[in-house]
Amino acid sequence: MAASGTQGPHAPQRAGRTPRAGGPSHVRRALVPTFTILGLIAIWQAVVDFGVIQRFLLPSPTDVLSALVGDWALIWEHAQTTLVESIAGLLIGVAIGFVLAVLMDRFEGFYLAMQPLITLSQTVPTVAIAPLLLIWFGYGLAPKIILIVVTTFFPVSVSLVAGFRSTDPDVIDLLRTMHATDLQIFWYAKLPAAADQFFSGLKISATYAIVGAVISEWLGGQSGLGVYMTRVRKSFAYDKMFASIVVVSALSMVLMGLVEVLERLCMPWKRAERKHQ
Amino acid sequence: MAGRDDMTATNADAAAGAGAASVPALEARGLEASWDGTPVVADVSLALEPGEVSCLVGRSGCGKTTLFHALAGLTRPTAGQVLLHGREVTGVPGSVSYMLQKDLLLPNRTILDNVCLPLLLSGMPKRAARDKAKPLLSRFGLEECADRWPSELSGGMRQRAALLRTYLMDNDVVLLDEPFSALDAITRGEVRSWFCGMAAELGLTALVITHDVDESVMMSDRIFVMRGNPQAHVPSMICGVVEVERTCSAAEAQDAGFDLTPQFISAKAAVKELLGS
């Protein structure tokens, strides 16, 4: 009897704390954002349906959905162009970023020479340089891909250089005592040490790639979601404009998802590390 | 690779010369080393007898690790020589194996592949390396862990894996810099006893650097005491050598209560006196 009396005041406190113990549960983590998004869409729908905002200024979610379905064939055709440009630009950008990072890590002089130039390249506004690229390289894929390369190589090279430099010098010493060559030190120690940061950079680059493609298409071209957007804008078809925005967002997220899958495949040890920390 | 061939030649020389006179496994003659331009150790001469475990004791910051780097060939000493079985190896990394307080296991490789590292770096094909290392895992108490990631192992297990990797470097002289300091007191005693047993079984010549006087008396036949204050521009020197009179093997010392014997206490007192504490 006495025991239950002393436990009394503590019991409710403990009960209140338990559900939070290990952070939000999986269900909670999935439900909260889902309901937030659904709630916002519902408000949006209501605002348009009840005439708070005129329909021709802001189409409702159902309008957007019907535009997306109705114009799907055309949107998908344009989306393919955007996707091809983005992936080509991203691959080339990542390759260039990788080579630059390796050279910058290997040669101190190259690092000192390139570091300000690389940073400078990111301060140039894309909207200003895109029309010039169109004049120089025509209205085809080339200027778009070049623009994407310029925007995507940067996050990759910066994150890789930082990653290479984060290698534990004691590990390098250890490998040296095992007679490792520079190439072996790179392969066994530096590359894995940089993997984490590389994938963070790659995720940023992947989103830049789609947005970069849309911007360059917007400024001139024959096909692509950016071209589609300029056309529907001129015909005041805002429902189609929103439909293409949905597709751009979806493409960006799919690309980021692919990077995440790639990260998991390349770094199987991370899962164990998370579990044991 | 050239270093490896040299090694075997050296071992053969040593074996041939062993009959005539005892050549120390590792010898330092008048070694002088500096760190960042400041002289840290001066005129260090010491000799490790083949198959013996010796300790180097000194206070924190007295330059133990600088001396260690010079002995391991990672930095070139400013003066003096390092001889391995009578042959000069000054400034040549990889002539002796080494192991640190940090296990330096590569997080992206399984225990088996980490252990195989020295074999892989010397050009052995992956399969052959694994075949060679696998039977040794059980000898080191790691048979269950072959395919685990390092993050899944306890600190003691990780140090065992690090020692097996050190062993596969195929040098008969091993330098250990505070190898057990990162472990908790109980695990430290266990890993130390296990290490001493292993070293005796494999016939290793080992120099263990430590700031723990008790540990040095527990595990070694001979203790080199280093003293000095490099921060105040007084380079450290070996100020004395204490021979430990053993009543049992180092591997059994813990269980046999060697730390309660008069031999232990007199050796400890001698070391402490030399350290000036």
Side-chain angles (χ1 to χ4, degrees), chain B residues 120-139:
Chain B
L120 296 174
L121 290 175
S122 72
M124 191 185 274
K126 204 164 189 173
R127 238 181 105 180
R130 283 180 173 169
D131 286 347
K132 186 174 174 187
K134 222 166 193 167
L136 288 162
L137 283 175
S138 57
R139 238 172 121 184

Side-chain angles (χ1 to χ4, degrees), chain A residues 143-214:
Chain A
K144 280 101 180 171
I145 293 177
I146 290 171
L147 190 85
I148 297 167
V149 168
V150 170
T151 49
T152 55
F153 89 94
F154 181 75
V156 169
S157 66
V158 168
S159 60
L160 266 178
V161 167
F164 290 149
R165 296 193 164 209
S166 73
T167 313
D168 186 344
D170 286 334
V171 168
I172 295 175
D173 275 350
L174 179 75
L175 294 185
R176 274 175 60 211
T177 64
M178 296 180 186
H179 309 287
T181 61
D182 282 349
L183 189 66
Q184 284 175 324
I185 289 176
F186 177 77
W187 178 251
Y188 284 93
K190 289 193 169 186
L191 202 55
D196 239 342
Q197 297 184 54
F198 168 74
F199 280 107
S200 309
L202 188 59
K203 262 178 242 170
I204 296 171
S205 288
T207 54
Y208 281 8
I210 300 277
V211 174
V214 171

Side-chain angles (χ1 to χ4, degrees), chain A residues 83-104:
Chain A
L83 210 52
V84 167
E85 288 165 3
S86 305
I87 291 174
L90 184 61
L91 289 179
I92 300 171
V94 169
I96 291 177
F98 188 86
V99 171
L100 277 176
V102 171
L103 291 175
M104 280 161 77

Side-chain angles (χ1 to χ4, degrees), chain B residues 4-255:
Chain B
R4 222 149 244 278
D5 296 338
D6 286 349
M7 267 304 306
T8 47
T10 315
N11 287 341
D13 290 350
S22 153
V23 181
L26 186 74
E27 191 182 357
R29 285 189 192 157
L31 215 57
E32 224 177 85
S34 45
W35 198 81
D36 242 5
T38 322
V40 174
V41 290
D43 196 26
V44 167
S45 297
L46 51 84
L48 306 182
E49 296 307 318
E52 261 189 16
V53 174
S54 309
C55 277
L56 180 80
V57 180
R59 293 171 184 235
S60 302
C62 79
K64 298 189 292 284
T65 300
T66 305
L67 176 62
F68 175 91
H69 274 109
L71 287 173
L74 289 168
T75 50
R76 189 161 259 290
T78 41
Q81 291 174 297
V82 180
L83 301 149
L84 183 75
H85 296 294
R87 195 187 232 200
E88 174 149 14
V89 292
T90 319
V92 181
S95 330
V96 299
S97 304
Y98 88 75
M99 193 173 140
L100 303 182
Q101 175 183 338
K102 292 189 275 183
D103 52 70
L104 300 180
L105 295 174
L106 301 176
N108 57 314
R109 300 191 158 252
T110 61
I111 293 302
L112 180 59
D113 286 347
N114 258 292
V115 159
C116 285
L117 202 60
L119 305 173
L120 296 174
L121 290 175
S122 72
M124 191 185 274
K126 204 164 189 173
R127 238 181 105 180
R130 283 180 173 169
D131 286 347
K132 186 174 174 187
K134 222 166 193 167
L136 288 162
L137 283 175
S138 57
R139 238 172 121 184
F140 280 68
L142 295 164
E143 64 273 31
E144 308 281 309
C145 313
D147 299 320
R148 299 251 197 97
W149 303 110
S151 62
E152 297 176 291
L153 268 62
S154 68
M157 297 285 249
R158 290 167 63 109
Q159 275 311 59
R160 281 171 189 231
L163 190 77
L164 176 51
R165 180 188 58 194
T166 310
Y167 172 63
L168 284 170
M169 284 171 74
D170 213 18
N171 296 322
D172 61 347
V173 178
V174 184
L175 302 179
L176 301 101
D177 189 2
E178 307 262 3
F180 313 123
S181 325
L183 306 173
D184 64 85
I186 297 167
T187 317
R188 191 188 311 174
E190 281 170 13
V191 176
R192 188 176 59 218
S193 301
W194 170 82
F195 167 77
C196 292
M198 224 52 204
E201 199 183 321
L202 302 170
L204 293 178
T205 307
L207 179 66
V208 182
I209 295 180
T210 177
H211 60 260
D212 184 338
V213 178
D214 286 41
E215 180 166 274
S216 71
V217 181
M218 284 300 265
M219 68 187 299
S220 60
D221 304 296
R222 183 167 311 168
I223 301 166
F224 299 98
V225 182
M226 199 160 129
R227 198 172 158 184
N229 190 352
Q231 280 94 349
H233 302 285
V234 182
S236 294
M237 300 170 89
I238 302 282
C239 61
V241 183
V242 175
E243 305 266 348
V244 182
E245 205 182 311
R246 303 214 69 91
T247 55
C248 59
S249 77
E252 294 157 349
Q254 189 86 16
D255 293 333

Side-chain angles (χ1 to χ4, degrees), chain A residues 30-145:
Chain A
L31 284 184
V32 172
T34 309
F35 277 107
T36 311
I37 291 169
L38 287 178
L40 285 173
I41 290 174
I43 292 169
W44 177 4
Q45 184 74 40
V47 161
V48 180
D49 281 351
F50 291 111
V52 182
I53 298 175
Q54 295 295 310
R55 196 172 286 273
F56 73 90
L57 284 177
L58 180 71
S60 76
T62 48
D63 295 337
V64 174
L65 189 68
S66 63
L68 184 62
V69 174
D71 219 12
W72 177 249
L74 189 59
I75 291 178
W76 179 237
E77 204 185 303
H78 285 291
Q80 280 172 319
T81 308
T82 305
L83 210 52
V84 167
E85 288 165 3
S86 305
I87 291 174
L90 184 61
L91 289 179
I92 300 171
V94 169
I96 291 177
F98 188 86
V99 171
L100 277 176
V102 171
L103 291 175
M104 280 161 77
D105 180 65
R106 185 73 183 76
F107 304 106
E108 184 71 28
F110 190 75
Y111 174 79
L112 292 175
M114 293 306 288
Q115 186 63 16
L117 275 180
I118 286 176
T119 312
L120 202 65
S121 76
Q122 298 309 298
T123 60
V124 178
T126 28
V127 282
I129 198 170
L132 283 175
L133 291 174
L134 290 176
I135 295 166
W136 296 338
F137 299 102
Y139 281 79
L141 287 184
K144 280 101 180 171
I145 293 177

